[in-house]
Amino acid sequence: MHHETSGYPLSGLLVSEIEKKAEDILESLPEQCKKIYKLNRLEGLNYPEIAARLKITVGTVKTQMSRAFQKFREGLKEFMP
């Protein structure tokens, strides 16, 4: 019998809380920003690939990604040490 989180019920709770919060932040992003973030993080495309797929510039991809990261940082700062 081996439970990873059995000794740490709070850590499991915290992880699901953070995941829920991150999901809320992702859903709150503007449509293009959300699309770019998902292509990079979920599909593993790099910035030039995303730019080509969406017919936008790499600069736009960078701007949108930094905007997304900023939203995540702001939204998750309560969970940071």
Side-chain angles (χ1 to χ4, degrees):
M1 184 159 141
H2 186 69
H3 289 296
E4 288 299 315
T5 55
S6 62
Y8 303 99
L10 280 178
S11 69
L13 184 67
L14 190 61
V15 166
S16 61
E17 232 180 277
I18 292 171
E19 284 173 354
K20 175 78 180 89
K21 180 74 175 174
E23 216 168 272
D24 291 347
I25 295 167
L26 180 60
E27 287 312 310
S28 76
L29 294 175
E31 205 49 51
Q32 187 187 41
C33 191
K34 187 192 316 186
K35 191 181 290 180
I36 290 168
Y37 183 85
K38 285 180 171 178
L39 286 172
N40 178 253
R41 290 289 152 154
L42 306 179
E43 294 188 35
L45 299 185
N46 63 31
Y47 291 6
E49 290 168 337
I50 295 168
R53 182 179 293 190
L54 300 180
K55 297 176 177 54
I56 56 178
T57 66
V58 173
T60 300
V61 175
K62 285 181 181 166
T63 302
Q64 295 294 334
M65 283 299 287
S66 64
R67 199 167 285 170
F69 287 138
Q70 190 178 352
K71 289 276 190 211
F72 281 108
R73 266 198 303 275
E74 285 168 13
L76 297 173
K77 67 173 177 260
E78 63 189 284
F79 298 105
M80 302 303 162

